[in-house]
């Protein structure tokens, strides 16, 4: 399977979940490489924006595919994860649902070592998980991409997948919002795909604490009005946009 590479190792790190309904929870993050979308502001563009590809990104740089990819077998991933003093894993990316088969193999092996392992998945909500994979995941953080991602709606919005997650009580929908247009778009998505208001989480846009502070009060007011949930972005406050923490 393909993980992101950081300092010649797979990008795996023990940290606190920074956003969404499990914000503050200790977890080991596993960053998979590759994504089926190409958002123009993506902060993990080193998982997909490789030299020779036509995708546009705000940073305007292309990454070396081999230098940014760490090939690892499910068995080796299990060995590495078993060394951490934490039994909660967050599978993130890129888009982890592109590698469900290998991840499921690793999850099953970890559960054989200790049935207490739990797994959370960060996804862009364009793929329906395989039933066997879905069964072993305790939480999906679904983050559908809005128009400001620069992606065609036909690629970023997959109605069958969104409706599937909307029906799954393990799925929470999280959005970074910075404008009224974003709020209206989220509302339209929720209506079109029957996403329960109680499972929509809004977060302020920003790469620094100052940015978050600037947008939070207004966003909190909108969240109250809509019956949604607000999440701060702890990782931005603690570490800014540093990788691997
Ligand atoms: S879906 Fe997520 S990982 Fe993929 S390009 Fe968009 S922001 Fe990046």
């Amino acid at each position: 399977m393909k993980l992101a590479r950081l300092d010649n190792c797979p990008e795996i790190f023990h940290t606190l979940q920074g956003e969404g309904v499990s914000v503050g929870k200790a977890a080991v993050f596993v960053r998979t490489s590759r994504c089926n979308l190409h958002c123009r502001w993506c902060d993990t563009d080193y998982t997909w924006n490789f030299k020779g590809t036509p995708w546009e990104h705000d940073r305007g740089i292309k990454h070396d595919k081999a230098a940014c990819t760490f090939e690892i077998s499910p068995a080796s991933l299990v060995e590495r994860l078993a060394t951490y003093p934490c039994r909660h894993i967050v599978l993130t990316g890129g888009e982890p649902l592109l590698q469900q088969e290998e991840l499921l193999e690793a999850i099953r092996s970890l559960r054989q070592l200790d049935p207490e392992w739990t797994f959370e998945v960060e996804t862009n909500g364009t793929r329906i998980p395989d039933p066997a994979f879905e069964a072993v995941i305790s939480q999906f953080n679904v983050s559908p991409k809005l128009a400001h991602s620069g992606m065609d709606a036909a690629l970023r919005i997959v109605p069958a997948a969104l409706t599937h997650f909307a029906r799954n009580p393990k799925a929470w929908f999280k959005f970074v919002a910075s404008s009224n247009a974003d709020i209206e778009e989220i509302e339209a998505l929720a209506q079109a795909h029957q996403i329960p208001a109680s499972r929509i989480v809004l977060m302020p846009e920003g790469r620094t604490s100052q940015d978050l502070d600037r947008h939070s009060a207004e966003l909190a007011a909108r969240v109250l009005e809509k019956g949604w949930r607000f999440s701060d972005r702890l990782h931005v406050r603690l570490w800014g946009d540093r990788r691997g923490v």
Side-chain angles (χ1 to χ4, degrees):
M1 58 192 301
K2 294 173 174 55
L3 300 187
R5 179 186 289 263
L6 178 62
D7 298 333
N8 223 21
C9 292
E11 192 172 335
I12 299 173
F13 50 100
H14 188 203
T15 189
L16 301 176
Q17 171 59 285
E19 57 189 35
V21 286
S22 45
V23 64
K25 184 170 180 169
V28 178
F29 274 62
V30 176
R31 188 173 306 287
T32 61
S33 188
R34 310 298 188 262
C35 189
N36 58 324
L37 298 185
H38 313 104
C39 305
R40 53 176 315 120
W41 39 253
C42 176
D43 57 2
T44 56
D45 54 314
Y46 52 87
T47 64
W48 55 266
N49 196 17
F50 304 127
K51 288 174 186 162
T53 60
W55 325 120
E56 288 184 9
H57 189 275
D58 289 349
R59 271 195 261 265
I61 53 166
K62 291 284 179 186
H63 302 274
D64 183 87
K65 195 179 198 175
C68 292
T69 304
F70 195 101
E71 290 274 357
I72 190 170
S73 67
S76 300
L77 176 60
V78 167
E79 270 177 35
R80 285 178 186 261
L81 292 178
T83 64
Y84 287 89
C86 178
R87 290 292 180 261
H88 184 63
I89 304 291
V90 176
L91 302 170
T92 188
E95 175 47 63
L97 292 187
L98 300 180
Q99 301 185 75
Q100 292 178 63
E101 206 175 306
E102 296 89 342
L103 289 171
L104 181 58
E105 190 179 331
I107 288 170
R108 284 181 168 151
S109 300
L110 285 166
R111 284 258 170 87
Q112 277 175 358
L113 292 176
D114 184 347
E116 294 300 311
W117 287 92
T118 51
F119 301 90
E120 192 175 321
V121 169
E122 307 274 350
T123 176
N124 59 29
T126 58
R127 299 283 170 119
I128 297 178
D130 294 333
F133 183 78
E134 189 167 70
V136 296
I137 302 301
S138 52
Q139 183 176 311
F140 288 93
N141 303 315
V142 184
S143 186
K145 300 306 169 222
L146 303 181
H148 56 54
S149 65
M151 295 294 309
D152 281 352
L155 295 174
R156 62 186 166 80
I157 303 299
V158 178
L162 290 181
T163 305
H164 178 87
F165 283 118
R167 290 186 183 136
N168 182 345
K170 294 193 285 191
W172 294 81
F173 290 77
K174 63 174 191 177
F175 299 91
V176 171
S178 61
S179 69
N180 281 334
D182 293 345
I183 304 274
E184 282 166 19
E185 211 179 330
I186 294 163
E187 225 170 0
L189 271 180
Q191 270 179 14
H193 306 289
Q194 291 91 48
I195 301 171
S198 59
R199 283 197 276 124
I200 295 178
V201 185
L202 241 67
M203 304 175 296
E205 194 270 327
R207 292 184 183 217
T208 65
S209 284
Q210 290 78 4
D211 290 342
L212 299 180
D213 290 341
R214 203 171 309 126
H215 298 125
S216 287
E218 196 186 333
L219 204 65
R222 302 305 302 272
V223 164
L224 276 173
E225 186 187 309
K226 306 286 180 196
W228 296 340
R229 187 187 278 233
F230 179 90
S231 166
D232 200 9
R233 302 175 74 202
L234 182 63
H235 54 116
V236 174
R237 295 201 181 274
L238 294 177
W239 299 295
D241 57 3
R242 265 174 57 203
R243 276 183 74 181
V245 285

